[in-house]
């Protein structure tokens, strides 16, 4: 029996139409570094998105599911690209400007980008890549920057504003299949080639509704959100779409992501909400300590991308900013959990504990934990396993490339289609996730798991240790055992026996989890985004490059 | 280009699974009239829904898309039926216990209900209908009531609790097509046969997300909602589904809908939210005036089904209850608008004005106004037209009956598939709807529309008039003209010329809109739900039964 409901697809063009009419007076404010910020209403964004779509179709020949890339900061033009490209049926491909050049080239070629829209300020980054971008026919430049850098380019170069000028301010957005591709984003995995996640109109629409639930970010048209999380990073956590659904105004920092301009824009523009990774907030907090600023407008701060240290959370609480943890990844659109405390904990000591977890799964995200032997683990807050998730805004595969099948690597997707997140943790009976480690870093010892992060945190609490990384190394008897690599503070000497005792006595580490293998290193190898690069340490161990002491 | 996202259908079983795990400790509390209310956790509701599904399948042979009807008050068992029946793939059919017997019989036979779950207290209503329900094979009785009333029934009679006892508390809910039928509800139209709207899993899921947006009801697990709006009326505005998504607890009044028990349950159970039609609140307000009650918990009251008189809204404001208007109908699931004021009006005098509109369209509901000649009208707050809406939770047809095509009457659905709401009003530039009339009651005079409601309100402000109804009557020159029918207060005499002047001078009615035809009637005919039954007056006029004075 079929329902009698209308069959209206969930399309990004509908989010745009809603935001630019019902919430036509809401604003995208872009910081310009000096003078007045640039302000554009949602109604203007709607009109200019239509103009951009006309330009892409009529002047640049974009058609079908052509990929149109952006190499842009967070700003109003990037929001226009967010809406125009998917709404016309093409695919928005946000290029991560923090990636190494060779990865950017690989990614743009793999996606077969036909057009790149670039901020003028990023031309120094794009220009040297451009000769290697085999599919790019058009470059569209927006905002100030030295155009002469593109002098020798074979791609045609256009001015963003010139393209838009005079184009009709309405567009007959096509009635697409809601499951068709809307946007793509590549993960910068530390192993193998980058992997492309292709979001659908449906997944973005549903994710945006989720962002707007009171138990998620819960913003309304009375809010202004400072969107620090980059638009090139998992759709800026869905904020540009979510805000157009509800009329939340957006404050966009463009390239001014340093503590001083961030503090200035908060004081001047008075956002009520902000979203960013913890490292950005560390710097802002230092700036606020050094110079008194009125940041009282900022009541709610969503932090994701990495866990917020409890000390940082407390520092923000003191400033009247309420930090809310969220967990997710490129493959989860990204909202996977939000750390709103449950009703019974509000106002109690438990509340802070709940806030330091990764949070609770919203309706639409199903979760399960898989143990070392592939078994399902209970939600008891104790059993640690790899987190697997399912839902309409969770990836089930990676883009395989033009004409190729999608990729479903067995280490990323279960046989029944769930995403293996690669994160290890526990889930409480009431659905709160606490992550303890990455699955690839966890030590599988005799059918049990040892958390490398727990050992590292315990080691780094020792006064002689400045940094510590623990990695799994092969062991004949136990399968794997932990290798402790420590960076000593200046003037300290290595006493592994003492460190081992410290772990047991002060760190509360169980005896069977204590490392037998120890070494001192100069510094912990890091990835381009500053995370511990443990595969380097594992390789160095395998190739006998480390001087191991066995206790 | 297809996306790489998981293809997870939006199913009611997923809402149930989420609510009964993540929000397992949230409660459905059912008022029992005396003693402690019955409390059941969402985890228990989940287990019992599985048991109910097993019973329906294994004991009663429910399969495929069989219709299972409920004739029930708002209570925990009705919530179980809400989840069990659609989740197993069958179709929940909520029977409106306020309908006349012959309509109930017609509806149950048209839907081909195989099972009826009935509250014991409603057996006096069901028993005389049962011999006429041609497709009903099983009656399941829940709660206290005189079973002997079903003595002569040919359908098999079961006890709800006996059916559930010992059944497994888990069920392998099937992976259904999200567009398949989940629930149905018939409209009690004043003309023609009742029309069945068939909701899909998809439409209910999306509607539930919408209910939970901060700009809609925006409830969280810190809330308890007093669900006065009946579960047999458009899925209780989606509350049972929405609450399971977010862990909002529900307070269910069962059959205790009178002002005194409502006031008692608010004082004792301290709900933070309530949803009901205005008439219920009129009575409650009178009770609160007569007896002092602590109703301070109730911060938010959603009112729909009819406009809330401003005086009632102000009375609630004084009690600290914030009334929020919502507009919708059976065909719109029902949430079509919510009257949250826009950011710029908050705290100003305009705020109250915005709150008295029907509200703003949420993302997911598209709206347009159609004028008397079929033309599209602007959103200028002035141009009045018939409201047409489109969206994934809006009906595009009516159920045609077993094996029959769906019905798409031209007066209810536009050629391009939009729902013609039959409501006439204006939309402001920022998307706020103000309804002025029903399309069938509006007077189409010389290519312009005259609002019958506006004339009635102006007439009823006259000290001699107790009630007034204005209907369209045929007119050779203008097409239609208004006929004013007035009920005089005791001791008053009819002076139509004076009334006409009053309309022009005090009522602000334009000269061309003033009625020429007048009559005095004893009382205004009403429908079963208490609305003016204008078709009776039109018929009486057509048949010359009214004594008309022409000015």
């Amino acid at each position: 029996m079929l329902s009698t409901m209308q069959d209206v697809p969930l399309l990004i063009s509908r989010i745009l139409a809603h935001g630019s009419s019902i919430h036509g007076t809401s604003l995208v404010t872009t910081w310009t570094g000096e003078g007045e910020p640039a302000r554009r209403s949602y109604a203007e964004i709607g009109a200019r998105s239509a103009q951009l779509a006309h330009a892409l179709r009529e002047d640049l020949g974009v058609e079908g599911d052509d990929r149109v890339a952006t190499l842009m900061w967070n700003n109003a033009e990037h929001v226009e690209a967010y809406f125009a490209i998917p709404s016309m049926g093409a695919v928005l491909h946000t290029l991560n400007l923090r990636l190494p050049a060779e990865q950017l080239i690989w990614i743009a070629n793999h996606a077969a980008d036909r057009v790149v829209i670039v901020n003028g300020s990023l031309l120094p980054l794009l220009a040297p890549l451009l000769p290697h971008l085999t599919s790019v026919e058009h470059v569209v430049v927006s905002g100030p920057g030295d155009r002469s850098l593109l002098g020798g380019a074979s791609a045609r170069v256009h001015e963003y504003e010139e393209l838009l000028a005079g184009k009709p301010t309405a567009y007959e957005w096509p009635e697409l299949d809601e499951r068709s591709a809307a946007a793509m984003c590549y993960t910068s995995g530390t192993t193998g080639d980058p992997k492309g996640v292709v979001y659908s109109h449906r997944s973005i629409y549903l994710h945006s509704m989720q962002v707007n639930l009171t138990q998620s970010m819960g913003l309304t048209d009375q809010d202004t959100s400072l969107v620090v999380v980059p638009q090139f990073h998992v759709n800026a956590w869905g904020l540009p779409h979510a805000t157009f659904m509800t009329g939340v105004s957006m404050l966009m920092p463009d390239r001014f992501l340093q503590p001083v301009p961030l503090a200035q824009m908060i004081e001047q523009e008075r956002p009520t909400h902000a979203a960013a990774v913890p490292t950005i907030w560390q710097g802002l907090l230092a700036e606020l300590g050094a110079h008194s600023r009125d940041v009282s407008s900022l009541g709610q701060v969503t932090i994701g991308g990495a866990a917020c240290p409890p000390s940082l959370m407390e520092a923000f609480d003191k400033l009247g900013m309420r930090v809310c943890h969220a967990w997710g990844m490129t493959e989860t659109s990204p909202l996977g959990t939000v750390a709103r405390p449950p009703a019974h904990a509000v106002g109690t000591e438990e509340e802070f504990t709940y806030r330091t977890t990764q949070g609770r799964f919203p309706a639409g995200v199903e979760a399960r934990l898989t143990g070392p032997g592939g078994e399902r683990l209970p939600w008891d807050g104790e059993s640690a396993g790899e987190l697997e998730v399912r839902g309409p805004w969770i990836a089930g595969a990676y883009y395989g490339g033009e004409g190729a099948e999608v990729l479903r690597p067995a280490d990323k997707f279960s046989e029944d289609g769930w995403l293996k997140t690669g994160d290890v943790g526990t889930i409480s009976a009431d659905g709160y996730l606490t992550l303890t480690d990455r699955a690839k870093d966890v030590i599988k010892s005799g059918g049990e798991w040892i958390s490398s992060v727990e050992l590292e945190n315990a080691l780094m609490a020792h006064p002689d240790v400045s940094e510590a990384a623990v990695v799994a190394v092969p062991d004949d008897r136990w399968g794997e055992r932990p290798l402790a690599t420590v960076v000593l503070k200046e003037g300290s000497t290595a006493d592994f026996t003492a460190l081992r005792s410290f772990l047991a006595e002060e760190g509360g580490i169980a005896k069977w989890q204590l490392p037998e293998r120890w070494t001192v290193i100069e510094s912990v190898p890091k990835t381009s985004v500053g995370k511990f690069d443990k595969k380097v340490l594992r390789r160095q161990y395998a190739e006998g490059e480390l001087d191991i002491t066995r206790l």
Side-chain angles (χ1 to χ4, degrees), chain A:
Chain A
M1 185 176 182
L2 279 176
S3 88
T4 63
M5 306 311 278
Q6 295 178 17
D7 197 2
V8 176
L10 308 174
L11 298 179
I12 290 174
S13 57
R14 295 215 146 86
I15 302 177
L16 176 66
H18 177 80
S20 57
S21 59
I22 302 268
H23 301 295
T25 58
S26 295
L27 291 176
V28 180
T29 301
T30 306
W31 198 251
T32 53
E34 49 190 16
E36 263 297 283
R39 301 184 202 279
R40 199 165 289 162
S41 73
Y42 279 18
E44 290 172 297
I45 298 269
R48 288 168 54 90
S49 297
Q51 292 183 309
L52 175 57
H54 280 290
L56 291 172
R57 173 119 323 153
E58 292 146 27
D59 297 357
L60 273 57
V62 169
E63 56 184 13
D65 58 8
D66 281 350
R67 264 71 71 202
V68 178
T70 55
L71 188 67
M72 301 174 85
W73 303 104
N74 288 12
N75 49 47
E77 291 75 24
H78 207 171
V79 174
E80 289 157 10
Y82 258 51
F83 285 108
I85 296 165
S87 293
M88 68 188 287
V91 181
L92 167 75
H93 177 200
T94 51
L95 289 168
N96 180 344
L97 55 90
R98 306 275 183 217
L99 289 182
E102 64 273 22
Q103 275 200 39
L104 272 175
I105 293 167
W106 190 95
I107 286 170
N109 289 340
H110 189 256
D113 296 332
R114 277 192 67 194
V115 178
V116 178
I117 308 178
V118 61
N119 278 136
S121 57
L122 290 168
L123 289 175
L125 170 60
L126 179 66
L129 310 183
L130 201 51
H132 307 283
L133 304 184
T134 53
S135 55
V136 172
E137 299 165 31
H138 301 274
V139 175
V140 181
V141 187
S142 167
D146 182 3
R147 270 66 172 166
S148 71
L149 291 167
L150 296 177
S154 62
R156 280 177 57 201
V157 178
H158 310 263
E159 283 294 329
Y160 187 88
E161 293 300 332
E162 286 176 15
L163 278 181
L164 267 61
K167 292 285 189 303
T169 55
Y171 192 102
E172 278 281 327
W173 304 116
E175 198 79 349
L176 306 164
D177 180 339
E178 70 183 35
R179 288 179 165 80
S180 61
M184 61 196 305
C185 187
Y186 281 75
T187 63
S188 50
T190 47
T191 55
D193 291 327
K195 303 281 189 301
V197 174
V198 184
Y199 307 105
S200 64
H201 288 261
R202 171 185 169 92
S203 74
I204 289 175
Y205 197 107
L206 292 170
H207 180 265
S208 305
M209 290 190 87
Q210 171 55 39
V211 167
N212 285 320
L213 296 195
T214 308
Q215 286 186 168
S216 293
M217 300 197 203
L219 305 176
T220 74
D221 63 343
Q222 297 187 43
D223 289 295
T224 296
S225 178
L226 170 59
V227 185
V228 182
V229 56
Q231 288 188 258
F232 57 74
H233 178 72
V234 211
N235 300 327
W237 299 350
L239 279 166
H241 303 113
T243 53
F244 263 68
M245 274 191 170
T246 47
V248 182
S249 285
M250 282 185 274
L251 174 58
M252 293 303 207
D254 199 82
R255 64 188 184 279
F256 305 98
L257 295 166
Q258 306 73 32
V260 173
L262 282 177
Q264 283 174 333
M265 67 185 87
I266 294 170
E267 184 167 45
Q268 180 182 315
E269 298 294 324
R270 304 193 61 72
T272 58
H273 172 259
V277 297
T279 46
I280 290 275
W281 296 119
Q282 301 266 22
L284 180 63
L285 214 54
E287 163 63 19
L288 294 177
H291 301 94
S292 172
R293 298 274 190 186
D294 177 6
V295 294
S296 59
S297 66
L298 200 54
Q300 194 198 149
V301 172
T302 306
I303 286 193
C308 178
S311 57
L312 183 61
M313 210 177 261
E314 281 167 346
F316 272 110
D317 279 358
K318 279 188 195 128
L319 287 169
M321 300 181 196
R322 172 97 175 181
V323 167
C324 183
H325 253 177
W327 167 86
M329 49 203 291
T330 306
E331 290 87 341
T332 63
S333 290
L335 212 69
T337 58
V338 182
R340 300 269 185 197
H344 68 80
V346 172
T348 74
E349 283 185 12
E350 268 190 302
E351 183 169 7
F352 192 77
T353 310
Y354 274 106
R355 287 174 58 204
T356 59
T357 69
Q358 269 59 49
R360 184 159 60 171
F361 300 95
V365 178
E366 295 169 79
R368 67 188 186 194
L369 291 176
T370 303
E375 73 280 15
R376 299 271 167 269
L377 299 176
W379 290 18
D380 57 10
E382 306 253 322
S383 307
E386 181 176 2
L387 174 67
E388 300 184 3
V389 289
R390 176 168 70 171
W393 58 84
I394 312 285
Y398 293 119
Y399 181 58
E402 192 84 328
E405 294 278 306
V406 297
L407 307 173
R408 284 205 182 82
D411 63 329
K412 296 296 293 183
F413 302 100
S414 72
E415 280 184 27
D416 56 351
W418 292 52
L419 172 73
K420 297 178 175 178
T421 64
D423 279 322
V424 168
T426 63
I427 302 177
S428 64
D430 50 357
Y432 283 82
L433 172 70
T434 301
L435 292 181
T436 51
D437 218 335
R438 289 289 297 166
K440 66 177 162 44
D441 295 333
V442 89
I443 297 115
K444 290 131 195 132
S445 177
E448 300 278 352
W449 279 359
I450 301 172
S451 164
S452 65
V453 173
E454 200 183 342
L455 287 169
E456 288 159 5
N457 286 344
L459 276 172
M460 288 193 273
H462 190 280
D464 290 342
V465 176
S466 77
E467 271 190 326
V470 176
V471 298
V473 295
D475 184 276
D476 288 343
R477 182 162 176 206
W478 300 104
E480 287 180 358
R481 289 297 297 163
L483 159 66
T485 73
V486 293
V487 181
L488 293 174
K489 284 193 181 148
E490 218 171 290
S492 299
T493 49
D495 182 346
F496 296 136
T497 311
L499 286 177
R500 197 169 197 266
S501 302
F502 178 82
L503 285 183
E505 285 153 25
E506 304 295 321
I509 305 293
K511 191 152 175 289
W512 66 272
Q513 300 189 339
L514 296 174
E516 301 81 22
R517 296 168 181 84
W518 294 78
T519 190
V520 169
I521 54 176
E522 286 290 306
S523 65
V524 177
K526 308 255 178 21
T527 69
S528 63
V529 293
K531 292 184 183 172
F532 284 6
D533 195 349
K534 296 191 179 178
K535 74 173 185 309
V536 173
L537 290 171
R538 282 193 291 264
R539 185 184 49 73
Q540 289 175 338
Y541 177 84
E543 296 178 1
E545 292 173 14
L546 299 177
D547 178 21
I548 304 295
T549 300
R550 230 185 133 120
L551 298 184

